[in-house]
Amino acid sequence: MPPTSKSSNLQSKNSLDTYIRTSRPLHDVRPVVTSQEVRDRGSTFVASLFPATSPSEARSRIAYLKDVLHKTKPATHEIAAWRCMILKPGHNGLGGPDDFELSAGNMDDGEKWGGSRVQKVMESHALIDAVVIVSRCSESDLENRYGGTMLGPTRFAHIERCATEVCQEFKRSEELRECISELTNLDAVLAGLRAEYSVSSAADKSVTTGSTTPKDYANLDLDKGRRLIKARENAIKSVKLLLAKRRVVTSGAAADSDDQP
């Protein structure tokens, strides 16, 4: 008997779901940060953080972690929270920050109040456009099926610890990216000023303003990056001062030349 239209549609949907869950490339949806595991009486807690710019994207990340990345060893609970900056209804973003609003939510996945604990950690770190998922796994299949040993309030400490770790690491990585971007911009400004000074003082070989070679910041840490930013800002001030003095000397020499009979 040929399949009805309804059963064909169901088969098509199941095929699509199967493709999404099993055939989608993994590299583009791996978590950007993963916490250390916390083990306690047969349970393991670990947090994963994914970028997410909307609640729907956050839910898709949760589903992907659960249905693909954790398919071979399902977690007893996938406890999640998200905070996303989204457009307000009827706005297009051209009106600036007032066109946007914060959309936040959480999922307990059977671990009552767990999602709200993760959300509070995200709020305390002012994390936006991300979803944090704390997976709780049990060491045996039997425990996995029934939820494992009851840990009481201690489970919330483990959930918050894992969530805090990924939030802090993500914030550090964001700050480092911003630091490198600022350093790159300062390097460009400094290189331009040094080139200008080199042209204006080409005849004076004794004056140097430093290297203009592009820098490699691949292995930069945040503390060193902050020190380098201050150093670049000071170097820019120094070269600007040299240029100002050079202009005074040049304009003075030009004035003396004009006074000559």
Side-chain angles (χ1 to χ4, degrees):
M1 181 177 178
T4 64
S5 175
K6 183 176 180 180
S7 64
S8 296
N9 290 340
L10 182 60
Q11 288 174 3
S12 175
K13 181 179 184 302
N14 287 339
S15 297
L16 179 60
D17 287 345
T18 301
Y19 172 78
I20 291 173
R21 293 181 180 183
T22 62
S23 303
R24 188 175 177 181
L26 299 182
H27 61 81
D28 63 336
V29 286
R30 290 284 184 179
V32 294
V33 185
T34 303
S35 74
Q36 297 291 319
E37 293 182 350
V38 175
R39 298 176 182 270
D40 185 2
R41 285 168 281 175
S43 287
T44 300
F45 298 80
V46 61
S48 304
L49 186 150
F50 295 85
T53 57
S54 68
S56 60
E57 186 178 1
R59 292 188 185 94
S60 73
R61 297 304 191 213
I62 298 166
Y64 193 80
L65 181 72
K66 181 177 181 178
D67 297 329
V68 178
L69 300 184
H70 290 171
K71 182 179 180 180
T72 57
K73 188 177 180 182
T76 57
H77 309 287
E78 301 282 11
I79 309 145
W82 58 87
R83 301 179 81 236
C84 310
M85 196 63 69
I86 62 173
L87 277 172
K88 294 177 180 177
H91 293 73
N92 57 14
L94 298 178
D98 289 340
D99 277 10
F100 296 84
E101 62 183 2
L102 181 66
S103 178
N106 63 76
M107 293 171 58
D108 292 334
D109 193 30
E111 189 71 88
K112 194 173 182 181
W113 300 305
S116 61
R117 295 298 185 106
V118 177
Q119 188 170 326
K120 286 179 180 178
V121 171
M122 294 185 73
E123 289 170 357
S124 69
H125 289 82
L127 214 65
I128 295 176
D129 287 342
V131 54
V132 174
I133 309 161
V134 179
S135 305
R136 179 181 177 181
C137 307
S138 295
E139 293 179 356
S140 72
D141 291 338
L142 183 63
E143 287 178 332
N144 223 23
R145 195 176 306 153
Y146 296 105
T149 304
M150 298 293 288
L151 300 181
T154 304
R155 69 191 189 279
F156 295 126
H158 299 331
I159 290 169
E160 291 175 358
R161 175 181 169 183
C162 292
T164 297
E165 184 179 334
V166 293
C167 287
Q168 289 177 344
E169 182 58 32
F170 185 68
K171 290 292 285 186
R172 277 194 293 269
S173 65
E174 277 194 327
E175 290 174 7
L176 182 57
R177 283 194 296 271
E178 292 171 0
C179 180
I180 290 173
S181 176
E182 185 174 355
L183 264 175
T184 303
N185 291 335
L186 290 173
D187 285 343
V189 171
L190 186 56
L193 291 171
R194 283 171 170 168
E196 181 182 349
Y197 189 80
S198 296
V199 171
S200 67
S201 59
D204 189 353
K205 303 299 182 182
S206 65
V207 178
T208 60
T209 56
S211 171
T212 58
T213 305
K215 307 296 189 299
D216 181 7
Y217 297 121
N219 298 314
L220 185 71
D221 63 68
L222 189 56
D223 290 337
K224 185 176 180 180
R226 289 168 175 162
R227 293 195 300 270
L228 286 175
I229 285 175
K230 291 182 179 180
R232 295 292 184 275
E233 290 171 343
N234 289 334
I236 287 171
K237 289 178 183 178
S238 297
V239 179
K240 283 183 175 180
L241 182 60
L242 288 172
L243 279 168
K245 290 180 179 178
R246 175 70 64 184
R247 293 188 188 105
V248 170
V249 171
T250 302
S251 61
D256 291 342
S257 178
D258 289 341
D259 291 338
Q260 293 295 324

